[in-house]
Amino acid sequence: LLILESTRAKVVPPYQTNPQLTQTPFFSKLSQEGLVFDSVYTTVPHTSKALVGILCGMFPRLTQPIQESTNNPFPLRCLPDLLQEVGYRTTFMQTANGKFENRPGLLTNLGFQSWSLQEDFIGDYQKVGYLGMDEFAMVDPAISWAKENPEQPFLLTFLTVTTHHPYQTPSMEEWPKPG
């Protein structure tokens, strides 16, 4: 499950309205091979709270602080927890700092078995914006995690940070080279 932070549908395939936009060159292929949802709306434009809507199918509490990251805040079970019941492994990855809004607390409450946050990624990755580092830091750990038990189904959830304000991407020289 790929969750793009602060991204309007009309700028990514298959919903793209301007074919000259090229920010997401691999999304056309991904949208042809994956599952595409045509009617999706956020419950609230705050990331921690929107994750509750996406992964639990319910409205979050419309208050601050982020109560969803405290002990036992939900009246129902969320997707990661439900999938584990039928044999799935579940993990969540983001390159933003995990201390922000107590992300481990939220991920525990959502029912994820494991997660990797900015402080877990090792390597020389470029800092982007004020929240984290570029998403390339998640690629190798995600592949390794998926290969740990290739016969078992899994839910691997990515949350991007480069698509969050101030919308910075790593310089092209920093991008991995195909090969």
Side-chain angles (χ1 to χ4, degrees), residues 76-165:
L76 50 82
R77 294 169 59 202
C78 301
L79 183 63
D81 189 40
L82 293 169
L83 287 175
Q84 287 176 61
E85 192 171 280
V86 293
Y88 279 68
R89 295 183 300 135
T90 62
T91 197
F92 181 96
M93 295 186 180
Q94 71 174 34
T95 58
N97 189 305
K99 294 176 185 168
F100 184 71
E101 295 184 347
N102 185 19
R103 190 58 47 125
L106 176 63
L107 297 174
T108 296
N109 291 338
L110 293 171
F112 282 99
Q113 290 172 312
S114 65
W115 49 82
S116 298
L117 310 172
Q118 180 186 51
E119 45 277 8
D120 300 313
F121 298 113
I122 300 168
D124 188 23
Y125 297 101
Q126 188 173 355
K127 181 171 174 44
V128 292
Y130 52 85
L131 286 176
M133 62 179 76
D134 72 74
E135 276 75 41
F136 289 116
M138 296 189 287
V139 174
D140 288 339
I143 292 169
S144 294
W145 181 85
K147 287 181 175 180
E148 284 175 12
N149 190 349
E151 300 302 315
Q152 186 178 16
F154 61 84
L155 171 66
L156 168 61
T157 303
F158 281 128
L159 175 62
T160 65
V161 72
T162 56
T163 54
H164 188 283
H165 178 270

Side-chain angles (χ1 to χ4, degrees), residues 53-90:
I54 293 167
L55 295 165
C56 303
M58 62 177 266
F59 283 97
R61 292 182 179 100
L62 299 178
T63 61
Q64 290 288 353
I66 308 300
Q67 296 173 340
E68 292 81 1
S69 65
T70 62
N71 275 347
N72 199 18
F74 305 130
L76 50 82
R77 294 169 59 202
C78 301
L79 183 63
D81 189 40
L82 293 169
L83 287 175
Q84 287 176 61
E85 192 171 280
V86 293
Y88 279 68
R89 295 183 300 135
T90 62

